[in-house]
Amino acid sequence: MLVLTRKRNESVRIGDDIVVVVLDLKDDVVKLGIEAPPGQKILRSELYQAVREENTRAARLDQGVLEKLKALGEKKNKAGG
Amino acid sequence: MQLNTGRFGSVEVEDEKILTFPWGLPGFEHLRRFVVLPGAGSDVFGWLQSVEEESTAFLVVDPFVFFPGYFVDIPERETHELKLEAPAQAVLLVIVSVPEGDIKKATVNLLAPLVINTARQLGRQVILNSSPFNTRHPLFPDGNRLVVPPGQGEGSLACSY
């Protein structure tokens, strides 16, 4: 990993069209400004991590849930809905 | 083709029903081909079954049935990647988690819907950047009642170009 030290208002260029600026530093919080082409996906890493964890959790579905869903569906049908 | 699945045994799947997820799903980047199988007993649910790994399937649901006010604006990048020419080409599904096999505790991931271009059989899980939704919305907030609001809601789906 490339490690750079930057001060307030200093920036880093990534490739030809991405600029990351350090806008503010306070306690242990860094405020970053990112200039990038509109199509570029920029995500807070924890969002990606949350989706990854949720997918892994969802894939571990108990086989018994199939039967419970069937039962729910039948209940719904009986209720005329 | 005949598809062997871990949960549903062997099922016949038409080749043109196979969806390509060119980027996989977060956590499942190695899986690129899926089919949507009808749900068990209930027409509200479906299964996103991996073609490549028979043990992997996700319970999915149409978000607008349970969350009539749900709204998604597919970002420009994903609109292009999915080759979406109009929002009507897109089908939206969200993944259901059922902790400890207790259906009453089921939650859905409204932060990252599956967007499928039905015209091209292309899919992607889209992580919404500025969305009020999260990965765990309770599906049955009032317990175990399967409440399906009459008709489809006011939910909206838009694409940015």
Side-chain angles (χ1 to χ4, degrees), chain B residues 13-31:
Chain B
V13 174
E14 293 165 47
D15 287 354
E16 55 271 26
K17 292 271 169 69
I18 295 175
L19 306 172
T20 302
F21 280 64
W23 305 271
L25 268 65
F28 297 84
E29 288 82 359
H30 59 298
L31 302 179

Side-chain angles (χ1 to χ4, degrees), chain A:
Chain A
M1 186 190 285
L2 174 67
V3 180
L4 298 168
T5 304
R6 303 277 67 195
K7 294 177 181 160
R8 193 187 311 263
N9 293 326
E10 288 186 340
S11 62
V12 172
R13 291 189 77 91
I14 302 171
D16 289 331
D17 44 17
I18 299 176
V19 180
V20 182
V21 192
V22 178
L23 295 175
D24 199 10
L25 299 152
K26 202 180 276 173
D27 301 326
D28 56 353
V29 177
V30 181
K31 193 183 265 185
L32 300 175
I34 302 166
E35 280 174 43
Q40 199 65 42
K41 189 87 189 166
I42 301 165
L43 271 185
R44 282 175 289 147
S45 301
E46 64 268 26
L47 274 190
Y48 182 87
Q49 194 54 35
V51 171
R52 195 185 156 89
E53 275 169 25
E54 201 54 32
N55 283 348
T56 308
R57 189 166 168 259
R60 283 197 301 259
L61 196 74
D62 190 280
Q63 189 68 20
V65 168
L66 269 172
E67 300 305 316
K68 286 173 194 161
L69 275 176
K70 262 186 207 160
L72 270 175
E74 281 158 19
K75 221 190 276 178
K76 188 192 77 159
N77 291 340
K78 265 187 211 158

